[in-house]
Amino acid sequence: MAKTAITIKDVAREANVSVATVSRALNGRHNVAEPVRRLVIEVARRLRYSPHAAARSLSSRRTQTVGVVLPDLHGEFFSELMRGIDGVARAHGQHLLISSYHGDQEQQGVALQAMRGRVDGLLVLSPYTANPDFLTDNLPPALPTVLINTPLSDPRYPGFSIDDHAGALAMTRHLLDVGHRRIAFIGGPGQNYDARERLRGFRDALAAYGNGAVGIELPGDFDEASGYRAGRSLLASAALPDAVFAANDMMALGCLYAFNQAGIHVPRQVALAGFDDIPLARFVHPALTTMQVSIAGLGKRAMSHLLQVIDSEGVTGTSGQTVMPTLVVRDSSVVSPSSMAGR
Amino acid sequence: MAKTAITIKDVAREANVSVATVSRALNGRHNVAEPVRRLVIEVARRLRYSPHAAARSLSSRRTQTVGVVLPDLHGEFFSELMRGIDGVARAHGQHLLISSYHGDQEQQGVALQAMRGRVDGLLVLSPYTANPDFLTDNLPPALPTVLINTPLSDPRYPGFSIDDHAGALAMTRHLLDVGHRRIAFIGGPGQNYDARERLRGFRDALAAYGNGAVGIELPGDFDEASGYRAGRSLLASAALPDAVFAANDMMALGCLYAFNQAGIHVPRQVALAGFDDIPLARFVHPALTTMQVSIAGLGKRAMSHLLQVIDSEGVTGTSGQTVMPTLVVRDSSVVSPSSMAGR
DNA sequence: CTGAAAGCGCTTACAG
DNA sequence: CTGAAAGCGCTTACAG
């Protein structure tokens, strides 16, 4: 605020040309004499001129910015997603306007509305199952939008998601395949789409391939502390299950800590598996069996797709994709010679 | 792009008033007759009008947005910092424009310049020691700016930092106090300010209170993998040190994994300590002794201060603060009865 | 190749 | 309390 910044007019005056010419020179248009361009650029640099983004986007109808609206700025999932999005953004010279709504629907609406005039397109992550209409009601109609992990199948909005159901199915089958018969499942937040899909996959696998195997369901909310509590409650029960499948890695780590603390050996006394393959999963002891999800890849695809939609002026191509997680078997789920060695 | 969005004009026409009145009604100015205001609001809602941010900020000279420029969108540090910043932003109705430059100075300059006209103020995280001039040269002169963890003492820019040196000093003293004499230090990236300060604290503590204790310095770059490598190299050496002090928790966890894998007991055979107190630090086995840093608190303070500077139109108050980390002793550094129990 | 002018969608003195 | 008008700082047809 203090000193008022310098504008295109100052550059024009100093260079003895019109503002139109300054604009053209600085934007690399071809209809500017080379010596003039050089002069303008030199003057602009000398004056430390940088264009006013709001003015520029008001007249050019382009902001060079993509809005990202998500529930949280927290944790591994967000971090990885942003990595994917950011990489594509940077490669295309796009800025990122990030808005988190903390699971508050009202806030989400506000954030969505506020995007108009700030961004050229929107990436929305809305993993809540309640009120899909609210979401569509608040999406700015004129803004290209791509949905990530959002339980909404509106043909107007392409969606990119993880196939949580298939992933949980695959993991449960793995645990059954290696011989576990009593399997506990630590669930995620009840309203969370991923959590529900993973739970559904667990149940379906047990029903389809369980052949009488029994499932034990425990509550959780995706953080380490709830995994720890689930682990403690299993330790307090009459008998440990053969295996524990946590709906995400953070809870698996919390649970592992409870077991370690109690002197229970994983996987000899109880097998353990997670979901997500966060970087740390391979750096705990024993290394964690999990479903690997390329979250960064998800962000990358969604962002690339969005930029395409923006460039094609609304001519949508695909209607989105589902990314299949892959099973990564490490020491925590299988009693192998190597897992005995360290003892 | 598709359909063109509706503007204040549409609302004015539909409500039979001037655009000035619409603007006033929607912005809660008091000089609007109550019935008129109600009508305008009703029409705006019906038309799903939301104001064009670029136009609004161009004329009002306010963007309601704060820019955050940092090297990376990755990891626990970023995540915690953003949590602090985001909380304050939300409480003040501010948006966040986030730009990462991946350690590339050129990119940082571009990001900084691009902030003009997009934000009302800037939060800059630049933990690199090289070329402080480049930074000041590229900061938009008219924009209130607050520095976080940035080795630059320019009175124009208030700075908020962690006292890494004091923290590392305290941790090293702790390790000495409990009797360790050969202490390995796993360092961070050479150009990183925090990394250098922590190393300096380690050396100073050894010199001042070591009383002949020996320090062994190993390279690292703040991620788990480098901690793991450092752990392996210690295992391969003639004799393990008494203790390992990793410059951050992630490396400590990597190192812990290497020890676990080799069947080395922590802390009985070697003590281990980190720095940062990431959430996971208490959920590994054994729980990690570390320096607790309120990164979220750091972000919160910096953001609050920035908003103050913005509101006071450049009348800077304090020139920043240094946040002191606190020692958190857990099982990994001290052989206690409880740490023997689980075996 | 260059400039004068209109216009992007708002806000805000200025009159009334 | 309300409206007409100027202006925010750019970009972009339109002439020349």
Side-chain angles (χ1 to χ4, degrees), chain A residues 186-210:
Chain A
I186 310 177
Q191 288 292 23
N192 183 283
Y193 173 69
D194 300 285
R196 292 164 83 116
E197 286 295 289
R198 291 173 189 184
L199 173 58
R200 198 165 65 81
F202 172 71
R203 289 177 178 165
D204 288 354
L206 236 42
Y209 318 108

Side-chain angles (χ1 to χ4, degrees), chain A residues 253 279-287, chain B residues 186-187 218-235 240 244-264 266 270-276 278 280-281 283-286 288-289 332:
Chain A
L253 298 189
L280 222 47
R282 75 189 65 195
F283 284 105
V284 290
H285 191 74
Chain B
I186 310 177
L218 299 168
D221 57 16
F222 276 171
D223 65 15
E224 318 90 313
S226 65
Y228 177 76
R229 283 192 299 272
R232 299 289 303 174
S233 89
L234 286 171
L235 289 167
L240 278 177
V244 176
F245 175 18
N248 78 350
D249 285 351
M250 286 313 264
M251 294 195 296
L253 298 189
C255 185
L256 175 61
Y257 178 58
F259 291 161
N260 276 338
Q261 209 180 33
I264 299 295
V266 176
V270 56
L272 183 63
F275 203 118
D276 285 346
I278 62 176
L280 222 47
F283 284 106
V284 290
H285 191 74
L288 189 67
T289 290
S332 73

Side-chain angles (χ1 to χ4, degrees), chain A residues 1-8 48-55 57-58 61-65 73-76 78-80 82-83 86-87 90 95-102 104 107 110-111 113-120 136-138 140-144 224-225 228 250 253-254 256-257 260-263 278-280 282-287 309-310 313-314 331 342-343, chain B residues 1-8 48-55 57-58 61-65 73-76 78-80 82-83 86-87 90 95-102 104 107 110-111 113-120 136-138 140-144 224-225 228 250 253-254 256-257 260-263 278-280 282-287 310 313-314 331 341-343:
Chain A
M1 306 285 110
K3 56 206 111 8
T4 154
I6 69 144
T7 74
I8 197 172
R48 298 179 164 289
Y49 167 70
S50 56
H52 190 284
S57 42
L58 183 56
R61 326 289 303 150
R62 270 300 204 114
T63 63
Q64 309 287 26
T65 304
L73 260 45
H74 240 133
E76 211 58 52
F78 162 75
S79 177
E80 278 299 290
M82 287 310 299
R83 193 159 69 86
D86 185 54
R90 128 177 343 268
H95 299 261
L96 256 25
L97 184 64
I98 301 182
S99 200
S100 67
Y101 55 85
H102 295 219
D104 179 335
Q107 288 275 6
V110 173
Q113 307 269 16
M115 288 292 168
R116 164 153 137 83
R118 294 179 195 275
V119 303
D120 298 330
T136 47
D137 281 355
N138 284 87
L143 228 43
E224 319 88 312
Y228 179 75
M250 285 315 264
L253 298 189
L256 175 62
Y257 178 58
N260 277 336
Q261 208 179 34
I278 64 177
L280 222 47
R282 75 189 65 195
F283 284 105
V284 290
H285 191 74
V309 177
I310 292 173
E313 311 258 316
D331 295 342
R343 301 302 289 184
Chain B
M1 307 284 110
K3 55 207 101 57
T4 156
I6 68 145
T7 75
I8 196 172
R48 297 178 164 290
Y49 168 68
S50 55
H52 190 283
S57 41
L58 183 56
R61 326 291 301 156
R62 271 299 206 119
T63 62
Q64 309 284 29
T65 304
L73 262 44
H74 239 135
E76 211 59 51
F78 163 76
S79 177
E80 279 300 290
M82 287 311 300
R83 192 159 69 86
D86 185 54
R90 126 179 343 270
H95 299 262
L96 256 26
L97 184 64
I98 301 180
S99 200
S100 67
Y101 57 84
H102 296 220
D104 178 334
Q107 289 274 4
V110 172
Q113 307 269 17
M115 288 292 168
R116 164 155 138 81
R118 296 178 196 273
V119 303
D120 297 331
T136 47
D137 281 356
N138 284 89
L143 230 40
E224 318 90 313
Y228 177 76
M250 286 313 264
L253 298 189
L256 175 61
Y257 178 58
N260 276 338
Q261 209 180 33
I278 62 176
L280 222 47
R282 75 189 65 197
F283 284 106
V284 290
H285 191 74
I310 292 174
E313 310 258 317
D331 295 342
R343 301 303 291 185

Side-chain angles (χ1 to χ4, degrees), chain A residues 71-215:
Chain A
D72 239 290
L73 260 45
H74 240 133
E76 211 58 52
F77 185 92
F78 162 75
S79 177
E80 278 299 290
L81 189 71
M82 287 310 299
R83 193 159 69 86
I85 294 172
D86 185 54
V88 179
R90 128 177 343 268
H92 291 256
Q94 298 292 306
H95 299 261
L96 256 25
L97 184 64
I98 301 182
S99 200
S100 67
Y101 55 85
H102 295 219
D104 179 335
Q105 198 170 263
E106 224 36 61
Q107 288 275 6
Q108 189 194 32
V110 173
L112 254 17
Q113 307 269 16
M115 288 292 168
R116 164 153 137 83
R118 294 179 195 275
V119 303
D120 298 330
L122 230 40
L123 243 29
V124 177
L125 184 71
S126 189
Y128 297 96
T129 44
N131 255 4
D133 285 351
F134 183 87
L135 179 59
T136 47
D137 281 355
N138 284 87
L139 286 173
L143 228 43
T145 298
V146 167
L147 268 23
I148 301 178
N149 251 27
T150 296
L152 178 70
S153 52
D154 185 316
R156 286 173 300 174
Y157 307 109
F160 289 76
S161 314
I162 295 165
D163 196 333
D164 292 303
H165 180 264
L169 205 76
M171 178 59 82
T172 310
R173 279 199 79 164
H174 160 68
L175 295 174
L176 289 167
D177 284 349
V178 295
H180 304 301
R181 303 297 299 161
R182 290 185 68 236
I183 307 179
F185 181 83
I186 310 177
Q191 288 292 23
N192 183 283
Y193 173 69
D194 300 285
R196 292 164 83 116
E197 286 295 289
R198 291 173 189 184
L199 173 58
R200 198 165 65 81
F202 172 71
R203 289 177 178 165
D204 288 354
L206 236 42
Y209 318 108
N211 201 12
V214 0

